[in-house]
Amino acid sequence: MKSGTCIGISSMKPCCRILISYKSSSIFGFSPPKMNRSGIRNLSKSLSKAVDHRRFHSYKHSKSHIVGYKCVVDPNRRAFSVSDSDSSRGQSRVFKGSFRVEKSRSRGVLVIPKVASDFRNHSTSIEPHVNENNFERIYIHGGLNVKPLVIERIETGNGLVKEDNTGIDVNESGVNTDNVNGLNLTEPKIEREVSEIEKEAWNILRGAVVNYCGNPVGTVAANDPGDKQPLNYDQIFIRDFVPSALAFLLNGEGEIVKNFLLHTLQLQSWEKTVDCYSPGQGLMPASFKVRTVPLDGSTEAFEEVLDPDFGESAIGRVAPVDSGLWWIILLRAYGKITGDYALQERVDVQTGIRLILNLCLTDGFDMFPSLLVTDGSCMIDRRMGIHGHPLEIQALFYSALRCSREMLTVNDATKNLVAAINNRLSALSFHIREYYWVDIKKINEIYRYKTEEYSTDAINKFNIYPDQIPSWLVDWVPDEGGYFIGNLQPAHMDFRFFTLGNLWTVVSSLGTSKQNEDVLNLIEAKWDDLVANMPLKIIYPALESEEWRIITGSDPKNTPWSYHNGGSWPTLLWQFTLACIKMGKPELAQRAVALAEERLSVDQWPEYYDTRSGRFVGKQSRLFQTWTIAGFLTSKMLLQNPQKASLLFWEEDYELLETCVCGLSKTGRRKCSRLAPRSESRGQ
């Protein structure tokens, strides 16, 4: 069989090379069927018990004979450049992978190259831009120090795989009860009872696992057997996989998360083109799909193809701004929970982090430290009036910056980047705390604003008109409590409560300790509005009547109190749990989890709920939604093991607060406004 090419992998990311011997047309120790979409996506339930309850199932037995696989990415996509000789100019190399069949041998050998994390074997040079804040252009010189990791799998007579006992043993419920071999877990083994609902959730979650080249790489967005038009719900979304990843990590199963991080990192380097225009190289895909197609028209050889979507196929063609931020957050979580910090130290991973930050920290026309994005660039991926500087993006951005600050290797090549991160963290925390925060006192202050102020020391800096204060807000905000508004732009404040953004300001300590406490106070005080029959509202309140028509464009999916327009999303449960544990209010999370547990299994794990109180399953809600299931499981495990939760949130960084980075004192102009922030003195 001819060697295949793993097209488009950048020079930092070696393609796996797979050598499989042939016996009775078996691959990976079993005989795979003809590969349709469901064969790739679903795990075989019939073989799960036959292989000692192994974590991930094999494909079902079939009489079909497949000579071999070649694991590549979509051949219709191409790398930025292909060169073996001109790597000094920053061009990428293409690594070749081969798949050979040897009838004379009866043993399969899987060879996967492993990039050494020793930086001394790699030469990197950074060319700074004129402006130090645009910190670098990354060049990689020379080849990679690739050491193959050989995993032997021996076939038995019945075609099943006999492996060394290096996996994670699971009990009948599928929940790990042993420590993970080879991982530096600091917590002792915890025995716990698992309810029937949790067992069901684990079975469905494992059934959503997708394999690529014989290894698990993620979970599909939804696995609804009754869905005749899955659209892109049969793909692996970076955003959606995060709660699944945390569930696996907290259960001691890190392999799928590591594979996911590395494969999405490979996709990062692809050229993305929409109407002849290509966004930045560091952009992460919104999702990807594993496709199995015939190799060169053959009926006996197949190739598995990773097909990413960077937004060129998405509804509205929006770039997934939050994908890269979630990827960085998950990378840190993987290291914290497993103790495997070698992954984040790898050269290709370090480069991936820098490419994402390069996109986020590039200078533009904006006057604010917050990220400027279009509508639909995050979890709310349809037109909902969040274009500008939405809170969700700012909170995730701040979290990703804090993650990167921990994970980046500090040397001469990264010192400018680290300085840029510190500067942005300092400026962004002040900006959000000072200008996004509202409580009853702040609302009263806005109510008395003077407008059209032309001055460097203006009080109404964004020229907000008091008539913007909506009538519902005055009586809604409690005396004890407050929240961060959804968006801020010149002459515009979006006073809607965005749950995900507010929860992540708490988790990341983007807000002050008093502000974080008041956010949870508000949620508790307004429980009937934000939780009611199902946690939690993604937005409150919903856009209605003329406002809905103008802002959403009369979107039939985002009708009032449905989907993104005030729908209730159970996946937000794990983020709420994390925030509650951090702020010492686990009883609030337990109350929400108990509420969800009563309905989720009965309702077949819907994506979202409709109506003001969340009583109805959403009118277009997919059932067996993976991040609904994973969010529930993650919440349960965090509540049962709060020490693990402490690995996923951040405390206040007082070092950042002591540094002012604006440099106004050097210019002779007026003092920086952060030296005497009114809201800080009022909120403490």
Side-chain angles (χ1 to χ4, degrees), residues 371-417:
L371 283 182
L372 178 64
V373 299
T374 63
D375 226 337
S377 57
C378 52
M379 178 181 175
I380 300 174
D381 56 3
R382 299 170 75 91
R383 180 176 164 187
M384 273 295 294
I386 67 167
H387 57 279
H389 305 84
L391 178 66
E392 177 178 333
I393 289 293
Q394 314 316 320
L396 293 176
F397 180 36
Y398 186 82
S399 302
L401 289 175
R402 293 201 66 173
C403 291
S404 302
R405 191 167 175 248
E406 295 179 24
M407 295 187 296
L408 278 174
T409 301
V410 181
N411 51 39
D412 289 341
T414 61
K415 61 182 181 181
N416 288 339
L417 173 56

Side-chain angles (χ1 to χ4, degrees), residues 449-453 458-466 678:
Y449 268 169
K450 296 179 181 179
T451 59
E452 316 303 330
E453 293 181 287
I459 295 176
N460 186 3
K461 292 183 174 62
F462 297 90
N463 200 36
I464 303 299
Y465 302 109
R678 291 176 299 281

Side-chain angles (χ1 to χ4, degrees), residues 634-684:
T634 299
S635 297
K636 296 283 285 189
M637 287 188 284
L638 289 174
L639 287 170
Q640 291 160 353
N641 192 0
Q643 293 81 6
K644 292 292 186 182
S646 66
L647 301 176
L648 301 175
F649 58 69
W650 294 262
E651 299 295 347
E652 180 71 275
D653 189 336
Y654 293 100
E655 182 180 340
L656 287 175
L657 299 180
E658 295 173 357
T659 305
C660 177
V661 298
C662 69
L664 283 182
S665 60
K666 300 178 182 179
T667 66
R669 301 180 66 186
R670 295 182 182 273
K671 293 183 179 180
C672 173
S673 59
R674 71 176 295 164
L675 297 179
R678 291 176 299 281
S679 292
E680 277 290 309
S681 60
R682 182 176 59 246
Q684 296 294 347

Side-chain angles (χ1 to χ4, degrees), residues 444-457:
N444 198 169
E445 181 181 323
I446 297 171
Y447 180 74
R448 293 170 52 82
Y449 268 169
K450 296 179 181 179
T451 59
E452 316 303 330
E453 293 181 287
Y454 183 79
S455 170
T456 57
D457 58 356

Side-chain angles (χ1 to χ4, degrees), residues 455-492:
S455 170
T456 57
D457 58 356
I459 295 176
N460 186 3
K461 292 183 174 62
F462 297 90
N463 200 36
I464 303 299
Y465 302 109
D467 287 344
Q468 285 187 26
I469 299 175
S471 57
W472 63 267
L473 181 63
V474 177
D475 295 325
W476 190 74
V477 175
D479 292 335
E480 296 295 329
Y483 68 100
F484 294 91
I485 61 173
N487 212 327
L488 176 66
Q489 300 183 74
H492 173 65

